[in-house]
């Protein structure tokens, strides 16, 4: 496999930060390496418990209960495959992350599948990053609304005002590295809306750290 450094197509990484703590780096890998990663992903069996197919490595995360008991043998999954470790090692070498993560989930989005608005579970550490493969998607970040309450002691009335959510929407191209930390990880939800038209299959590899070990 060629490394991130030997990008045959000579496309320069294109970096943007649309929200505090959110790093988006396009062209993080070459098209050739992307193809190899998809082939590796497709060699493995899928978990079909959700409407979209997933693969869990390191630990099995329950998207429904949003919980993970790291001590339970039931939640242990096979270790991260070599191709994922080598991808993470390249990201360490070029300074995007500090350590190999303990967990990876691969999501497959076929046709019109998406993921509803959520903040990633706090059982995981501060840094969450993903690499997108094969097809683009739209991603929407919404700032969790804050309620401001004003009390009038003289009249004993309380008015509560819901701030409108801030919304940031953008396209995630294949071969993009997306890193969420800080505000973008904790104070904003993210979602992938269902497309109205059928598109190519998208794969995302999302990497997470266990809180205690980060
Ligand atoms: O597919 C993606 O890029 C996002 C996946 C995600 O948000 C999650 O698994 O929590
Ligand atoms: Fe997420």
């Amino acid at each position: 496999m060629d490394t991130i450094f030997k990008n045959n197509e000579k496309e320069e990484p294109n970096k943007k930060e649309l929200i505090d703590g959110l790093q988006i780096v396009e062209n993080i890998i070459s098209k050739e390496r992307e193809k190899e990663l998809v082939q590796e992903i497709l060699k493995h069996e899928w978990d079909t418990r959700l409407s979209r197919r997933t693969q869990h490595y390191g630990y099995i995360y329950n998207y429904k209960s949003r919980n993970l008991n790291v001590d339970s043998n039931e939640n242990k999954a096979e270790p991260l495959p070599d191709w994922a470790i080598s991808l993470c090692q390249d990201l360490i070498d070029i300074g995007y992350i500090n350590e190999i993560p303990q967990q990876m989930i691969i999501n497959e989005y076929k046709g019109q599948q998406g993921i509803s608005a959520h903040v990633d579970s706090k059982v995981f550490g501060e840094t969450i990053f993903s690499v997108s493969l094969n097809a683009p998607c739209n991603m929407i970040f919404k700032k969790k609304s804050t309620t401001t309450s004003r009390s009038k002691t003289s009249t004993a009335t309380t008015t509560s005002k819901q701030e409108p959510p801030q919304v940031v929407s953008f396209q995630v191209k294949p071969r993009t590295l997306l890193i969420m930390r800080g505000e973008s990880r904790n104070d904003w939800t993210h979602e992938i809306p269902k497309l109205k038209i059928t598109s190519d299959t998208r794969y995302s590899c999302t990497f997470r750290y266990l809180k205690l070990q980060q």
Side-chain angles (χ1 to χ4, degrees), residues 74-132:
E74 273 176 30
N75 294 323
K76 299 247 160 59
E78 64 184 274
L80 269 66
D82 289 348
W83 61 262
I85 303 270
S86 114
L87 179 64
C88 292
Q89 190 56 54
D90 287 341
L91 296 174
I92 292 172
D93 293 346
I94 53 175
Y96 284 110
I97 52 163
N98 297 325
E99 283 174 68
I100 301 285
Q102 289 85 31
Q103 206 240 7
M104 171 176 75
I105 297 181
I106 299 174
N107 276 292
E108 180 192 60
Y109 301 89
K110 260 191 192 312
Q112 300 174 10
Q113 291 174 328
I115 190 165
S116 55
H118 65 280
V119 173
D120 276 34
S121 170
K122 295 291 163 67
V123 298
F124 296 112
E126 253 298 293
T127 301
I128 292 172
F129 64 98
S130 66
V131 174
S132 290

Side-chain angles (χ1 to χ4, degrees), residues 63 107 109 115 118 120 130 139 190 192 202 204 206 208:
Y63 272 101
N107 276 292
Y109 301 89
I115 190 165
H118 65 280
D120 276 34
S130 66
M139 211 156 181
H190 55 277
I192 297 172
R202 172 174 177 265
S204 63
T206 303
R208 298 178 175 89

Side-chain angles (χ1 to χ4, degrees), residues 4 7 27-31 33-34 37 87 131 133 175:
I4 289 173
N7 184 335
N27 300 324
I28 192 70
I29 51 170
S30 67
K31 285 189 178 159
R33 188 167 186 180
E34 176 188 32
L37 296 183
L87 179 64
V131 174
L133 303 169
R175 299 182 293 117

Side-chain angles (χ1 to χ4, degrees), residues 13-28 91 94-98 126-132 139 141 168 170-173 175-185 188 209:
N14 175 19
K15 304 180 191 181
K16 359 181 198 186
E17 183 170 342
L18 301 175
I19 299 172
D20 276 356
L22 178 69
Q23 263 181 299
I24 302 164
V25 189
E26 293 177 345
N27 300 324
I28 192 70
L91 296 174
I94 53 175
Y96 284 110
I97 52 163
N98 297 325
E126 253 298 293
T127 301
I128 292 172
F129 64 98
S130 66
V131 174
S132 290
M139 211 156 181
F141 278 73
V168 174
F170 55 93
Q171 193 194 49
V172 182
K173 293 184 182 151
R175 299 182 293 117
T176 294
L177 166 71
L178 193 143
I179 310 177
M180 288 188 287
R181 297 185 173 103
E183 256 205 42
S184 68
R185 188 254 186 270
W188 293 67
Y209 298 89

